[in-house]
């Protein structure tokens, strides 16, 4: 469950321009797409929900937690446990292998590690063969899939995906969307996807247009 | 990489100088300690001490035995050890002295027995090893303190009766015989003028109390043609001269250490900057700033420790190289020793510098804008 109320944000260096965001209200396990033109603040909204940015005004509720009311350490903890982010660009710890990247993500979330889930996830994303390769040895598609795995491995309450399909062909796009939806169901989480990809739209009922 | 290099260099210099300084001090003290005073010919007191006690310089000249014995009768004097030298065997000094001399350095025979008769000699351990000498061998001395084949006293051969156990003192590099043998070698030179009195090079004295040494040295230097020098005083003076050099090198090492510290700091900031994506990513995984700081600190600590250990090892290798050189030139042997408390202190300074650098670098870590770093393509 995600709820935002009269959310506003302004970047420090451009005080003149303020983003106004529509109120969002997603019920339990409800998924949503965030659509809008470039520069309208899609990624900003995502980072606000993830607690990476502090809103100028308004509140964000995830489950029963008001993100703004958390202390620094609580926020770190909360982010680690309850938020999974799939970034537009793929980021990893370069010196580690695929498997090690997943393990460190699990470890930092401070949840109990689930080896079965890790193995199954790697299998579903067709990464089993490359699981012991260093991340820089992976292909672009494999990276994108690893990035998705990193976003959902720890069963977060909220999965936030920023253009997860931008580099994928039709077949893989289809696959990724269905996997994300399935994982969201398994984890009982809200899936929020930013996209301008026309292929994604039919898969989701709820569209939030900025 | 540069920071490791700088750190290594600074630790290398510092530990090397500390070791040389420490061992040189110990060496000088150990060798000069058995004697309160040296009496020899007029000249530089430092030269007298260097030549008669440390055996690294030429003697100031000879003194007449009569005059020397007159002074030896002074009641304040506890013991007198005469020295006479001027010959060598293959570059190793042949020292004519009394049997007490070896006792003063605690030297004992490893093989054979001590010399008792004329033209019997014992070899110091290093001299015996380097010249490949064993008990029963015979050798002839050559004139002067440097090796030469021209002026050889081949009509008067010496017999080796014993080889000494290593003492870690100058004795290891000497060939010891009695005074009469030294005179004997040179007898033919005196044949034409037999009336000439006998000469020795120096007297080593010990006193019943230290005030006696001071009083006697004053009167000898004022009233006689001899010179009295106090080894402790001269060695202290020598170390004071050397100290300036050691301090300069230590200063340079300290300056390099500062640069190394700065370089560690710059390295840390560079790490934070180069790896900001990874660090920001870890933050979204729930890692705290403190955890990231620890990560960065461990990396810096790793570099520092590598630098320190490398520098320390190279410092010891430097001492080892130096000792092979010094051993021949200065009759001086260094040891490779385990880390001492001063080096431990340097390690603490290095660790402290690392911590300081981490604290300074933490500012750039804490102000990382995660959202901006991850959103920017």
């Amino acid at each position: 469950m995600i709820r935002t109320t009269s959310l506003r944000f302004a970047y420090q260096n451009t005080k003149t321009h303020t983003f106004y965001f529509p109120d969002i209200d997603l019920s339990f396990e409800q998924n949503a797409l965030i659509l809008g033109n470039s520069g309208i603040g899609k990624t900003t909204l995502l980072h606000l929900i993830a607690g990476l940015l502090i809103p100028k005004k308004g509140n964000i509720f995830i489950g029963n937690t008001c993100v703004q009311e958390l202390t620094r350490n609580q926020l770190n903890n909360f982010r680690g446990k309850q938020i999974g982010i799939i970034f537009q660009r793929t980021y990893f710890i370069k010196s580690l292998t695929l498997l090690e990247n997943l393990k460190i993500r699990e470890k930092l979330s401070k949840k109990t590690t689930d080896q079965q889930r890790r193995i199954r996830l790697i299998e579903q994303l067709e990464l089993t063969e490359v699981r012991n390769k260093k991340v820089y040895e992976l292909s672009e598609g494999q990276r994108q899939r690893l990035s998705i795995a990193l976003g959902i491995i720890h069963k977060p309450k909220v999965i936030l995906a920023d253009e997860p399909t931008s580099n994928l062909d039709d077949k893989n796009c289809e696959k990724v969307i269905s996997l994300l939806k399935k994982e969201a169901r398994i984890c009982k989480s809200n899936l929020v996807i930013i996209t301008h990809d026309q292929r994604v739209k039919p898969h989701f009922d709820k569209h939030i247009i900025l | 990489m540069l920071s490791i290099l700088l750190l290594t260099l600074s630790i290398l210099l510092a530990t090397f100088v500390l070791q040389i300084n420490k061992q040189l001090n110990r060496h000088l003290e150990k060798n000069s300690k058995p004697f309160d005073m040296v009496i020899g010919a007029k000249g530089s007191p430092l030269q007298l001490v260097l030549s008669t006690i440390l055996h690294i310089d030429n003697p100031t000249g000879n003194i007449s035995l009569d005059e020397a014995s007159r002074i030896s009768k002074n009641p304040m004097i506890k013991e007198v050890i005469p020295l006479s030298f001027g010959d060598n065997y293959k570059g190793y000094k042949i020292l004519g002295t009394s049997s007490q001399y070896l006792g003063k350095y605690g030297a004992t025979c490893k093989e054979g027995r001590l010399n008792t008769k004329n033209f019997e000699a014992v070899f110091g351990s290093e001299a015996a090893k380097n010249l490949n000498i064993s008990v029963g061998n015979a050798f002839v001395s050559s004139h002067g303190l440097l090796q030469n084949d021209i002026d050889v006293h081949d009509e008067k051969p010496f017999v080796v009766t014993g080889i000494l156990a290593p003492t870690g003192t100058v004795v290891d590099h000497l060939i010891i015989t009695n005074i009469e043998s030294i005179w004997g070698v040179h007898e033919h030179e005196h044949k034409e003028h037999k009336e000439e009195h006998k000469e020795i090079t120096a007297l080593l004295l010990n006193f019943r109390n230290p005030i006696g040494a001071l009083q006697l040295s004053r009167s000898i230097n004022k009233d006689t043609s001899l010179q009295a020098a106090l080894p402790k005083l001269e060695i202290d003076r020598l170390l004071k001269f050397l100290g300036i050099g050691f301090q300069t090198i230590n200063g340079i090492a300290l300056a390099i250490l500062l640069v190394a510290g700065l370089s560690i700091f710059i390295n840390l900031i560079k790490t934070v900057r180069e790896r900001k994506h990874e660090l920001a990513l870890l933050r979204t995984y729930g890692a705290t700033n403190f955890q990231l700081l620890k990560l960065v600190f461990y990396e810096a600590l790793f570099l520092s420790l590598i630098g320190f250990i490398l520098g320390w090892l190279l410092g010891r290798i430097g001492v080892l190289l130096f000792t092979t050189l010094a051993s021949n030139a200065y009759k001086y042997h260094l040891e490779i020793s385990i880390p001492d408390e001063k080096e431990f202190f340097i390690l603490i300074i290095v660790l402290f510098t690392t911590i300081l650098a981490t604290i300074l670098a933490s500012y750039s870590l804490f102000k990382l804008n995660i959202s901006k770093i991850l959103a920017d393509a």
Side-chain angles (χ1 to χ4, degrees), chain A residues 11 43 47 52-53 72-73 76-77 79-80 85 87 89 91-95 101 104-105 108-109 150, chain B residues 274-275 277-279 281-289 291 366 369-377:
Chain A
Y11 282 104
T43 301
H47 285 182
L52 298 178
L53 291 173
R72 256 169 171 280
N73 280 333
N76 282 327
N77 226 333
R79 198 188 294 135
I85 311 171
F87 294 99
R89 267 192 61 186
Y91 296 112
F92 311 107
I93 310 299
K94 290 192 204 76
S95 51
N101 265 280
I104 200 169
R105 175 65 185 105
L108 282 170
S109 76
L150 284 168
Chain B
E274 274 171 6
R275 306 232 304 257
H277 288 122
E278 292 186 1
L279 293 171
L281 187 69
L282 286 172
R283 291 274 282 129
T284 71
Y285 287 178
T288 60
N289 269 329
Q291 277 175 307
F366 288 158
N369 187 339
I370 310 162
S371 164
K372 192 162 175 292
I373 290 165
L374 293 175
D376 283 354

Side-chain angles (χ1 to χ4, degrees), chain B residues 154-165:
Chain B
D154 43 5
E155 69 279 18
K156 305 264 173 60
F158 284 85
V159 177
V160 181
T161 61
I163 288 162
L164 300 172

